[in-house]
Amino acid sequence: MKKRSYNYRRIKIHRNYTVEGIASLFDIHKNTVGVWIKEGLPTTDKKRPMLIQGRDLATFLQTRRLKNKKKCNPGEMYCVRCHAPSTPAGDMADYQPVNEKMGNLMAICFRCHSIMNRRVNLAKLEHVFGKIIITLPPALLHIADRNQPTTNSELEKVKKIC
Ligand SMILES: [Zn+2]
């Protein structure tokens, strides 16, 4: 899902905005501004009408944009060298358990061939890495058929055992 980006350069940093004012500035529903406030957009006080400082709004949207940019989509891992989410080469990754629930997923960046790491929750592994073939460490391999690449149904078995 592509997130809409807001042109925060339209914001006058020395101005105070009402929720309605921000909504009309970006041509969005005021409920969206309400969500931003819940997400941490600072308001001047709790009184009505609630005011938001232009400077706070600009900072909030900039930070939010950076966060969105770095977020990996399913099947992606963040590559430190590329400074961007990337896809594992050959759609393959190695899973190293850290504890019963968490582990490190290691893969090679398809662009620059450097190693990427991502901390993953075992329960979410198949949801996040749907089409990627995940190799389990030898300690967990006895569960799966050694001659077959690990499939989601085998991961299901691993989860039950862990
Ligand atoms: Zn890379």
Side-chain angles (χ1 to χ4, degrees):
M1 202 172 74
K2 202 168 182 274
K3 282 213 171 177
R4 191 182 155 169
S5 71
Y6 301 93
N7 186 2
Y8 49 81
R9 285 177 190 91
R10 280 192 208 166
I11 304 160
K12 293 183 174 61
I13 58 168
H14 297 297
R15 218 188 112 175
N16 285 339
Y17 290 90
T18 57
V19 169
E20 288 78 11
I22 296 171
S24 68
L25 183 69
F26 294 121
D27 194 23
I28 53 173
H29 198 277
K30 62 185 167 102
N31 285 356
T32 306
V33 184
V35 171
W36 293 351
I37 292 167
K38 280 202 195 103
E39 283 178 7
L41 173 65
T43 56
T44 48
D45 53 39
K46 298 243 152 53
K47 276 185 248 160
R48 302 247 159 203
M50 193 154 48
L51 290 176
I52 294 116
Q53 288 181 4
R55 186 187 298 277
D56 287 341
L57 180 61
T59 308
F60 175 80
L61 288 180
Q62 280 176 53
T63 313
R64 197 170 179 273
R65 204 173 111 179
L66 281 177
K67 269 191 212 158
N68 286 343
K69 231 185 203 171
K70 290 195 173 174
K71 216 173 160 191
C72 293
N73 289 318
E76 286 183 339
M77 290 169 74
Y78 189 76
C79 175
V80 178
R81 195 188 277 179
C82 293
H83 299 288
S86 183
T87 311
D91 286 337
M92 291 196 300
D94 287 320
Y95 180 80
Q96 289 291 340
V98 171
N99 58 36
E100 288 168 358
K101 286 177 185 149
M102 301 285 293
N104 265 322
L105 210 55
M106 207 182 80
I108 310 291
C109 172
F110 85 101
R111 269 190 302 251
C112 70
H113 302 287
S114 66
I115 289 173
M116 307 186 288
N117 285 292
R118 184 169 169 184
R119 184 59 64 95
V120 288
N121 188 328
L122 189 58
K124 288 183 186 157
L125 202 55
E126 72 194 63
H127 173 70
V128 178
F129 287 92
K131 72 182 176 101
I132 289 177
I133 298 159
I134 293 160
T135 308
L136 298 170
L140 293 175
L141 261 186
H142 64 278
I143 304 153
D145 185 346
R146 278 161 199 269
N147 301 317
Q148 300 284 328
T150 307
T151 62
N152 286 343
S153 66
E154 276 145 8
L155 276 178
E156 214 36 67
K157 288 180 216 160
V158 175
K159 269 192 283 171
K160 277 177 195 136
I161 289 163
C162 286

